[in-house]
């Protein structure tokens, strides 16, 4: 489904546009039930840190950090859509919002496995 070809990723309003090369195509698609992801509700796929290029709207991205502050969650200031985040479980990876990738309907991914985010080892204090 993916051979390292860069995908185009956009927020809803179009202010933010990224070029994204995925780690292993859509095989890494996951949901997470940590306190943040369960509210956000997005399916994320993995990308290497050098796999994301911001084509447009870098100054329109807002950063949200919580808990340990390790993870960096980016979203569009205008439309509020989550585009990508730097992972806490593996800071050498980004997770990107599958639903923002051009031409991808997340429904086509079928059943997506869940990550046990609520029991994350880095969460002793914040849960
Ligand atoms: Zn936007």
């Amino acid at each position: 489904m993916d051979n390292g070809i860069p995908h185009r990723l956009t927020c809803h309003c179009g202010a933010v546009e990224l070029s994204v090369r995925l780690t292993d195509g859509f095989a890494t698609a996951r949901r997470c039930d940590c306190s943040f992801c369960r509210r956000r509700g997005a399916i994320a796929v993995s990308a290497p840190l050098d796999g994301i290029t911001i084509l447009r709207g870098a100054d329109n991205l807002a950063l949200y950090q919580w808990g340990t502050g390790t993870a960096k969650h980016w979203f569009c200031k205008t439309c509020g859509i989550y585009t990508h985040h730097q992972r806490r479980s593996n800071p050498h990876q980004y997770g990107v919002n599958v639903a923002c990738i051009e031409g991808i309907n997340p429904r086509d991914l079928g059943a997506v496995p869940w990550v046990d985010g609520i029991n994350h080892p880095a969460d002793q204090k914040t849960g």
Side-chain angles (χ1 to χ4, degrees):
M1 200 167 173
D2 187 271
N3 296 305
I5 301 161
H7 294 274
R8 204 170 80 97
L9 182 150
T10 55
C11 67
H12 190 259
C13 72
V16 176
E17 183 178 341
L18 310 175
S19 174
V20 177
R21 186 168 43 79
L22 301 178
T23 302
D24 187 20
F26 294 91
T28 61
R30 294 290 183 276
R31 290 181 179 278
C32 174
D33 66 353
C34 81
S35 62
F36 179 65
C37 294
R38 64 169 60 189
R39 286 168 170 79
R40 181 177 62 194
I43 300 170
V45 285
S46 300
L49 287 191
D50 64 355
I52 292 185
T53 306
I54 298 174
L55 302 176
R56 187 171 66 225
D59 56 352
N60 214 59
L61 282 168
L63 172 63
Y64 180 64
Q65 290 175 281
W66 58 283
T68 62
T70 312
K72 296 179 170 68
H73 297 270
W74 300 93
F75 61 96
C76 173
K77 284 179 189 173
T78 306
C79 65
I81 295 297
Y82 149 68
T83 52
H84 64 297
H85 72 284
Q86 191 167 354
R87 290 215 158 112
R88 182 175 53 160
S89 56
N90 181 354
H92 303 293
Q93 273 188 347
Y94 284 121
V96 305
N97 185 352
V98 164
C100 288
I101 297 175
E102 288 262 303
I104 298 299
N105 184 339
R107 188 172 181 170
D108 295 337
L109 298 175
V112 173
W114 285 84
V115 170
D116 189 11
I118 197 167
N119 292 313
H120 195 285
D123 265 348
Q124 279 111 17
K125 281 192 296 181
T126 55

